[in-house]
Amino acid sequence: MMDKKELKPINHDFLNHISAVLDNARKNAKTAVNLSMVYAYYEIGKIIVEEEQQGKNRAAYGKQLLQELSKFLTDKFGKGFSVTNLKQMRQFYMIYSTDQIGQTLSDQFENLPSVDSGRKFFLSWSHYLKLMRISNEDERYFYEIESVKNDWSLSELKRQYDSSLYERLALSMDKDKVYRLALEGHHPETAKEAVKDPYVLEFLGLPELPEYSESELESRIIDHLQQFLLELGTGFAFIGRQVRFTFDEEHFMVDLVFYNRLLRCFVLFDLKIGELKHQDIGQMQMYVHYYDRKVKLPEENPTIGIILCKDKNNAVVEMTLPEENSQIFASKYETVLPSKEDLQKLLEEQIEVESK
């Protein structure tokens, strides 16, 4: 018989592996239950609408119907079936019985059932309660697709909506590509489409500081790297901070270096807390040229350079950058959430100009 002293300690990787399997199973089970309830609420909404349409005095009949149904379901199933909740189910059916999500997304979830209209659902009921409050159909499509693709929690969906992600992306696109946002989500194909202006960094917690340095801004970004990657968008991977290279016996540091898997190129960030100067653009041009000539592989695409600044003069940017340059950008950053109304107005004005 083996002495207890000879027993080897249990491998922690083994324990963690088993734990991960169970965590994943529980998550999948929870997801399945949530999705089942979404489909059930859609069906309840459908039945309510069909019943209301048979009532002679629809307004009065509908009110009585919901009150009696609420009492019946609450007595039988408990909480969750107030008149307000039933109205939300009715609204859910009325909104989603007539629309179709992008086919690409549906193809990725062939195992999910379809409702009578052919529509599939991918998110929790809480997600759809938020989405239903978005009146613009194209915008609602976009946030649903991005939530699924990026596995956004409800809080992240709210944050992306509050930061006006749809409008900020659309401002960098022509009219046809804005339409594609609603069908496919964000799939950057060019350097310009991968860059936002402005970037919203309210999660850094900087507004309370009367002043801060560029190193403080950089440190805050690193401390909130996961949120910063979400703000950057699809396909970004972090490479390093203060990445050093030597050129002509002089040392240089790139503040932040990322790689975008979709565009297959390096993306360099230079951080500026004041107004952008033409020297800053010249410096970024040198960084980009070095990476293109010394770092990137032949099969990779040209490097993108982004100068992230608190303020910029567009005239200075236009005069400093060559007209043919399509790889270097100057973007403002906001430490508070921007006005959604202002961005929507800018987008509407841009689309109107392009339509003429």
Side-chain angles (χ1 to χ4, degrees):
M1 185 174 180
M2 183 179 290
D3 186 76
K4 289 184 178 180
K5 293 181 180 180
E6 297 179 8
L7 291 174
K8 294 182 180 180
I10 296 176
N11 189 316
H12 284 285
D13 288 341
F14 165 79
L15 297 175
N16 290 332
H17 191 187
I18 297 294
S19 176
V21 170
L22 289 173
D23 284 340
N24 191 49
R26 289 181 176 179
K27 180 182 178 182
N28 289 340
K30 184 178 180 181
T31 300
V33 170
N34 286 337
L35 277 177
S36 295
M37 295 310 298
V38 170
Y39 280 90
Y41 292 158
Y42 176 90
E43 189 64 25
I44 291 171
K46 176 185 176 183
I47 297 170
I48 290 173
V49 169
E50 291 176 344
E51 180 65 22
E52 284 180 333
Q53 289 174 346
Q54 296 177 16
K56 294 180 180 180
N57 187 337
R58 293 184 183 178
Y61 181 73
K63 183 177 180 180
Q64 177 189 353
L65 177 72
L66 291 180
Q67 290 175 341
E68 291 188 11
L69 179 60
S70 173
K71 184 178 184 309
F72 172 79
L73 293 177
T74 300
D75 290 344
K76 189 168 185 177
F77 297 101
K79 295 181 180 179
F81 298 99
S82 65
V83 171
T84 299
N85 289 347
L86 293 175
K87 287 180 179 179
Q88 289 171 338
M89 295 175 202
R90 179 178 62 187
Q91 182 190 15
F92 183 52
Y93 170 75
M94 293 175 70
I95 289 176
Y96 287 97
S97 62
T98 57
D99 72 0
Q100 292 290 326
I101 198 69
Q103 190 59 42
T104 302
L105 191 57
S106 292
D107 291 343
Q108 296 175 19
F109 295 87
E110 294 180 355
N111 58 315
L112 290 177
S114 299
V115 295
D116 50 359
S117 65
R119 191 38 156 97
K120 293 183 179 181
F121 300 112
F122 316 93
L123 300 167
S124 73
W125 177 239
S126 297
H127 283 80
Y128 284 110
L129 287 177
K130 172 61 182 177
L131 291 169
M132 282 192 291
R133 291 195 286 271
I134 302 175
S135 57
N136 183 308
E137 186 179 73
D138 289 343
E139 187 177 2
R140 189 169 65 240
Y141 277 166
F142 166 77
Y143 283 110
E144 182 176 4
I145 293 172
E146 289 297 305
S147 293
V148 177
K149 281 171 45 186
N150 300 299
D151 196 23
W152 285 348
S153 64
L154 176 60
S155 61
E156 185 58 31
L157 167 59
K158 290 179 178 178
R159 188 258 160 192
Q160 295 289 1
Y161 176 78
D162 290 341
S163 72
S164 304
L165 176 62
Y166 177 77
E167 288 85 0
R168 289 186 289 136
L169 289 174
L171 284 170
S172 67
M173 299 178 177
D174 59 38
K175 187 177 179 181
D176 290 337
K177 289 189 175 179
V178 171
Y179 176 69
R180 283 176 55 189
L181 275 178
L183 300 178
E184 303 171 6
H186 187 216
H187 288 280
E189 297 175 352
T190 65
K192 183 179 179 182
E193 291 174 10
V195 178
K196 297 173 184 171
D197 189 16
Y199 286 87
V200 179
L201 310 180
E202 92 291 346
F203 51 83
L204 299 183
L206 288 172
E208 74 275 10
L209 300 179
E211 58 182 41
Y212 49 88
S213 65
E214 288 166 4
S215 61
E216 173 70 8
L217 175 61
E218 179 186 318
S219 295
R220 290 292 185 102
I221 288 175
I222 296 300
D223 291 343
H224 299 82
L225 186 58
Q226 183 176 2
Q227 289 164 293
F228 187 66
L229 284 168
L230 284 171
E231 173 62 14
L232 292 184
T234 306
F236 281 88
F238 179 60
I239 302 297
R241 66 186 293 194
Q242 291 299 308
V243 179
R244 174 176 164 172
F245 68 89
T246 302
F247 176 69
D248 198 22
E249 298 184 356
E250 193 172 351
H251 303 304
F252 299 91
M253 300 283 189
V254 184
D255 288 340
L256 298 170
V257 179
F258 294 83
Y259 191 84
N260 189 286
R261 295 181 298 106
L262 299 182
L263 297 177
R264 300 187 71 239
C265 69
F266 287 98
V267 182
L268 315 180
F269 277 87
D270 197 18
L271 307 178
K272 302 296 176 185
I273 60 170
E275 185 177 10
L276 182 70
K277 297 179 173 59
H278 66 86
Q279 296 96 324
D280 301 326
I281 299 175
Q283 178 176 271
M284 177 56 79
Q285 283 181 310
M286 189 267 287
Y287 289 172
V288 167
H289 289 330
Y290 180 87
Y291 264 74
D292 280 345
R293 297 169 187 175
K294 302 292 186 180
V295 181
K296 87 174 187 68
L297 299 176
E299 63 270 20
E300 292 177 323
N301 291 315
T303 303
I304 297 173
I306 302 174
I307 307 168
L308 202 57
C309 53
K310 188 62 179 172
D311 194 15
K312 66 173 179 173
N313 184 321
N314 287 328
V316 171
V317 176
E318 291 173 6
M319 288 300 295
T320 307
L321 288 176
E323 289 185 10
E324 69 275 8
N325 190 294
S326 59
Q327 298 302 119
I328 298 176
F329 302 87
S331 292
K332 292 179 65 175
Y333 67 87
E334 304 283 355
T335 56
V336 295
L337 292 175
S339 166
K340 194 170 183 68
E341 291 73 21
D342 288 345
L343 286 173
Q344 286 175 335
K345 185 178 179 181
L346 280 174
L347 179 56
E348 290 167 2
E349 290 174 353
Q350 175 177 297
I351 292 175
E352 184 178 348
V353 169
E354 291 177 356
S355 300
K356 291 181 180 179

